[in-house]
Amino acid sequence: MSLERFINQAVSSWMSEDGPDSDIVLSSRIRLARNLREVTFPSIATKESAEAVIKAVEERISNGCPTRFGPLEMLKVDDIQPLQKRVLVEKHLISPHLAEHSLNGAFLLSDNEEVSIMINEEDHIRIQCLFPGLQLTEALKAANEVDDWLEEKINYAFDEQYGYLTSCPTNVGTGLRASVMMHLPGLVLTRQMNKILPAINQLGLVVRGIYGEGSEALGNIFQISNQTTLGKSEEDIVDDLKGVVSQLISQERSARDALAKTSNIQLEDRVFRSFGVLENSRIIESKEAASCLSDVRLGIDMGYIKDLSRSILNELMILTQPGFLQQYAGGPLRPDERDIRRAALIRERIRMETNQ
Amino acid sequence: MICQECNERPATLHFTNFSNGEKTELHLCERCAQEKGEMFLMSQGPGFSINHFLQGLLNMDSPFQQKTKEPFQHETVLQCEQCSMTFPQFIKVGRFGCGNCYATFREHLIPVTRRLHSGNSSHIGKIPKRVGGTLQLQRNITSLKQTLSDHIAKEEFEKAVEVRDQIRSLEKKLAVERKEGE
């Protein structure tokens, strides 16, 4: 398969499309956890109870899907090849837990992959909406529509005091986890991230590097999400997160301005060195690739690199994960082979742009 | 021992993982461990969050409870009628067995939810249209009553009368729906 076709098939809308503030906010995600009344939760489920959940959702789909999202098709985890599962996990469409540990796990996906519904994950039903850029309110609206549609036919476990009942008490109440993926190279380069992180944690929000360990975030990509799900309305949870994200956006922008003023040539040098590595290397590990991709994306955002599309970071961060590399290669690869493949894929992807 | 992942190089790293009482072992070479580590961190990084500390949080109550107990008193263990999960089991795994567990363990859960959700112990968000019953109506009435007393405090009596009429009509509606529900 040609790389172009492979990418077209592999890329979800949040990776390739622009959204509001998408120079800094890569994607917005809303997740709602829901459970069925009178059915044991997946943690202690039997084959029969897990089957009952699948049946309830299947019945709901047979009565038609909400038109805005197009047809939703149910896929069962057990019917999918391990490599395909890994790819779906790398695209954040299903969770590792669903892929590896679920009993009768299944999921529904919309055509543009903005809506996914996981079944028999930690909770019976997990609705997820993933949008490009900063679109938390829009994603919440979409998730609520899917939720209302399911609720028309499915009896949810709901309690007047505790709200939507979930398997883990950390999700009870709204069952809502709102999260935003942000590219913050300016704040990392100016060493402000370490000061900002504790402040954000104090506000009941969690920050983590999604592709790295602890405070070291691979590719300078951070995920910020709410921790509190009980005692706040869905709108307030989203608004509070949005408030903090807007602050971070303006701080990141001023950090970038400051960098351009104080160390313009050093930054330009860094950007083009990284570009050189991506354009020319024959072997590249995922860590190095992530850090170079972050530099190049910063270079595009700040105008050093002109003829390269911005979505290259989002796309290649996902496409150079082990699962995708192996799918593109058409079979399993050893780690050293992956590093060679990764380098080849990145070179080819860049050539695709510059030829146009 | 050969690496489980590539079946080529000798396994130099040995992982033992205990979770939910289950033990799993993993033997890897350095190269595969690194790759796998990246996979874990990418996909499961978010998994290591408050859930893992939950057991500690839930156990915080137990020293007090034990002190007040008579030494030879029989312990009555709370057990969910629907899924037969007991409270000690819940503490161990940090997951409920079914929706009914919340009702069974209700009293014990308030301190837990307060710790987990910045002091909150009741839901004020979305209510499902069908299953939520009259809850939405009740909430509307409560909020209108607040508006009413605000108007009275500000001596806006005309507005107060309007709101009072709204409350009355909602209360009628509530009474009807409650009867239908029975």
Side-chain angles (χ1 to χ4, degrees):
Chain A
M1 202 193 307
S2 79
L3 182 64
E4 201 165 350
R5 248 192 81 208
F6 176 70
I7 289 176
N8 285 341
Q9 288 177 8
V11 165
S12 324
S13 79
W14 71 269
M15 290 185 234
S16 58
E17 279 171 29
D18 269 353
D21 294 309
S22 58
D23 55 331
I24 292 168
V25 180
L26 305 181
S27 67
S28 302
R29 169 159 49 171
I30 293 287
R31 184 219 71 197
L32 295 175
R34 299 290 185 252
N35 285 286
L36 273 60
R37 206 163 55 183
E38 282 149 19
V39 179
T40 49
F41 290 163
S43 59
I44 56 163
T46 58
K47 214 75 192 140
E48 292 78 47
S49 66
E51 195 57 51
V53 182
I54 300 262
K55 262 220 176 92
V57 177
E58 265 173 351
E59 251 166 56
R60 183 66 197 103
I61 315 171
S62 66
N63 284 316
C65 299
T67 47
R68 177 146 90 93
F69 310 106
L72 298 167
E73 196 192 342
M74 189 189 286
L75 293 163
K76 292 190 176 147
V77 171
D78 293 339
D79 298 342
I80 297 177
Q81 300 299 315
L83 205 54
Q84 284 177 305
K85 277 194 238 176
R86 193 163 180 177
V87 164
L88 288 163
V89 170
E90 287 171 2
K91 287 173 88 172
H92 306 282
L93 293 173
I94 65 172
S95 67
H97 181 88
L98 186 84
E100 301 304 331
H101 304 293
S102 61
L103 180 67
N104 273 351
F107 56 94
L108 288 83
L109 277 184
S110 73
D111 264 349
N112 62 4
E113 300 182 344
E114 282 181 355
V115 180
S116 72
I117 305 172
M118 287 190 274
I119 299 157
N120 288 328
E121 210 249 15
E122 189 188 289
D123 293 296
H124 290 146
I125 296 174
R126 285 195 162 188
I127 303 162
Q128 178 184 283
C129 292
L130 191 55
F131 281 44
L134 183 56
Q135 300 194 71
L136 283 170
T137 311
E138 292 76 3
L140 177 64
K141 190 167 167 270
N144 272 330
E145 280 175 36
V146 176
D147 182 41
D148 293 341
W149 167 70
L150 285 170
E151 206 254 334
E152 278 173 22
K153 295 278 187 259
I154 291 172
N155 288 333
Y156 282 154
F158 182 84
D159 179 270
E160 292 204 358
Q161 183 189 358
Y162 287 122
Y164 292 95
L165 303 178
T166 52
S167 167
C168 181
T170 52
N171 295 318
V172 76
T174 54
L176 169 72
R177 189 81 65 220
S179 63
V180 164
M181 231 201 304
M182 302 182 83
H183 183 225
L184 302 172
L187 292 176
V188 174
L189 282 172
T190 54
R191 297 180 196 284
Q192 293 182 74
M193 217 48 212
N194 292 341
K195 278 182 250 158
I196 292 171
L197 293 186
I200 295 178
N201 287 331
Q202 281 183 340
L203 296 167
L205 300 175
V206 191
V207 187
R208 49 190 161 230
I210 51 162
Y211 297 104
E213 202 175 348
S215 57
E216 183 213 15
L218 222 49
N220 300 320
I221 297 177
F222 295 86
Q223 181 182 288
I224 300 147
S225 58
N226 67 303
Q227 189 68 70
T228 305
T229 58
L230 183 69
K232 264 169 118 176
S233 71
E234 286 80 359
E235 290 72 21
D236 285 350
I237 291 173
V238 163
D239 284 346
D240 289 355
L241 179 61
K242 257 164 67 182
V244 170
V245 169
S246 319
Q247 273 297 316
L248 278 171
I249 292 174
S250 68
Q251 291 190 23
E252 169 67 21
R253 291 219 170 101
S254 41
R256 290 182 187 185
D257 287 348
L259 279 171
K261 278 192 194 115
T262 57
S263 32
N264 192 23
I265 187 71
Q266 285 87 346
L267 190 61
E268 191 173 349
D269 176 66
R270 186 190 170 106
V271 164
F272 280 100
R273 275 171 185 273
S274 291
F275 191 34
V277 169
L278 294 179
E279 236 181 345
N280 294 299
S281 64
R282 299 301 193 260
I283 303 172
I284 194 163
E285 284 191 20
S286 55
K287 247 188 185 167
E288 190 185 6
S291 116
C292 291
L293 282 168
S294 169
D295 288 342
V296 167
R297 168 70 193 248
L298 180 67
I300 299 169
D301 287 338
M302 293 184 66
Y304 295 118
I305 300 176
K306 294 271 193 290
D307 44 9
L308 214 55
S309 61
R310 281 212 303 218
S311 61
I312 203 160
L313 169 78
N314 316 13
E315 259 179 52
L316 286 178
M317 277 303 276
I318 305 283
L319 295 180
T320 56
Q321 303 282 335
F324 262 111
L325 287 174
Q326 294 178 74
Q327 174 155 317
Y328 183 45
L333 295 171
R334 292 195 313 269
D336 52 329
E337 292 173 327
R338 284 178 216 163
D339 292 348
I340 297 170
R341 268 285 161 169
R342 183 177 293 117
L345 191 146
I346 292 172
R347 285 202 315 274
E348 209 178 317
R349 175 71 185 80
I350 292 175
R351 223 176 302 129
M352 241 168 71
E353 293 259 339
T354 41
N355 282 348
Q356 276 168 5
Chain B
M1 194 177 279
I2 299 288
C3 171
Q4 287 179 351
E5 192 73 3
C6 61
N7 294 317
E8 269 181 18
R9 290 175 286 268
T12 51
L13 292 160
H14 309 278
F15 299 91
T16 314
N17 179 33
F18 286 96
S19 69
N20 297 346
E22 259 180 68
K23 185 180 165 188
T24 48
E25 284 184 3
L26 202 59
H27 307 281
L28 301 172
C29 69
E30 212 165 318
R31 193 65 200 263
C32 292
Q34 206 188 345
E35 283 285 330
K36 227 174 162 62
E38 279 163 16
M39 174 74 183
F40 281 145
L41 289 169
M42 183 216 102
S43 52
Q44 300 195 331
F48 194 88
S49 60
I50 201 155
N51 300 10
H52 293 77
F53 299 107
L54 190 62
Q55 202 174 329
L57 278 178
L58 292 163
N59 274 326
M60 275 164 75
D61 281 341
S62 49
F64 291 102
Q65 287 170 348
Q66 274 160 13
K67 267 179 208 159
T68 55
K69 263 176 211 148
E70 295 295 319
F72 296 106
Q73 195 183 0
H74 267 293
E75 237 183 294
T76 48
V77 177
L78 277 174
Q79 187 170 31
C80 176
E81 281 176 10
Q82 195 177 305
C83 69
S84 24
M85 177 163 287
T86 63
F87 194 64
Q89 264 177 327
F90 162 65
I91 287 179
K92 201 170 156 225
V93 293
R95 299 281 187 280
F96 293 101
C98 69
N100 193 51
C101 290
Y102 280 90
T104 315
F105 309 142
R106 190 178 296 274
E107 277 172 49
H108 299 263
L109 292 179
I110 292 172
V112 176
T113 53
R114 286 220 167 112
R115 277 192 210 112
L116 291 174
H117 299 286
S118 9
N120 300 319
S121 60
S122 354
H123 177 59
I124 59 163
K126 188 173 178 178
I127 298 167
K129 286 189 188 80
R130 287 186 314 108
V131 188
T134 57
L135 194 56
Q136 187 63 54
L137 260 179
Q138 290 174 44
R139 260 200 214 164
N140 292 348
I141 292 172
T142 318
S143 105
L144 279 175
K145 280 185 177 160
Q146 184 58 47
T147 322
L148 179 66
S149 48
D150 288 350
H151 283 316
I152 292 172
K154 287 187 203 153
E155 302 190 1
E156 298 165 339
F157 297 115
E158 275 175 28
K159 283 183 188 164
V161 170
E162 260 176 50
V163 175
R164 185 202 58 197
D165 292 344
Q166 280 177 17
I167 294 174
R168 279 189 187 158
S169 83
L170 285 186
E171 277 174 340
K172 259 185 213 157
K173 205 172 154 194
L174 183 65
V176 173
E177 284 192 17
R178 279 204 172 134
K179 252 185 198 160
E180 280 172 1
E182 273 164 16

